[in-house]
């Protein structure tokens, strides 16, 4: 039986059960991994069958994932602007 890897959450609903402290690993995620998990998290939130506490944890996870994606995009935009200025 395979256990969930704490560095990679296959199901956002599983993450909701571990609490907000699970958001610490977001800072190490690639853009693609964060975006994929964000999509899953949004779908889980849209499902709206989770208890309120789990929904709030999913929301927090989604916020952390969205911030990570934005930070990566901002960094890429800055690098491109730097190269264009050269």
């Amino acid at each position: 039986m395979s256990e969930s890897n704490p560095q990679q959450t296959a199901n956002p609903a599983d993450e909701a059960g571990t609490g907000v402290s699970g958001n610490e690993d977001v800072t190490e995620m690639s853009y693609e991994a964060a975006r994929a998990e964000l999509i899953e998290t949004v779908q889980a939130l849209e499902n709206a069958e989770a208890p309120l506490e789990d929904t709030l944890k999913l929301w927090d996870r989604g916020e952390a994932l969205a911030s990570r994606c934005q930070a990566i995009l901002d960094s890429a935009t800055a690098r491109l602007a730097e190269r264009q200025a050269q």
Side-chain angles (χ1 to χ4, degrees):
M1 178 182 221
S2 174
E3 290 297 319
S4 169
N5 181 344
Q7 292 296 320
Q8 196 174 38
T9 303
N11 182 349
D14 292 341
E15 180 62 35
T18 65
V20 177
S21 64
N23 291 339
E24 294 167 1
D25 67 317
V26 170
T27 61
E28 302 298 319
M29 294 178 88
S30 69
Y31 174 81
E32 292 78 8
R35 184 176 182 278
E37 186 177 334
L38 178 57
I39 290 168
E40 291 176 7
T41 301
V42 169
Q43 289 171 344
L45 286 166
E46 289 174 343
N47 188 8
E49 292 183 14
L52 179 59
E53 187 62 30
D54 290 346
T55 299
L56 293 173
K57 289 175 184 176
L58 281 170
W59 181 271
D60 288 341
R61 180 69 176 180
E63 287 283 329
L65 292 164
S67 292
R68 174 65 178 156
C69 289
Q70 190 61 55
I72 292 170
L73 291 173
D74 289 346
S75 175
T77 300
R79 286 191 315 227
L80 287 172
E82 211 175 272
R83 289 183 183 172
Q84 288 176 344
Q86 292 179 354

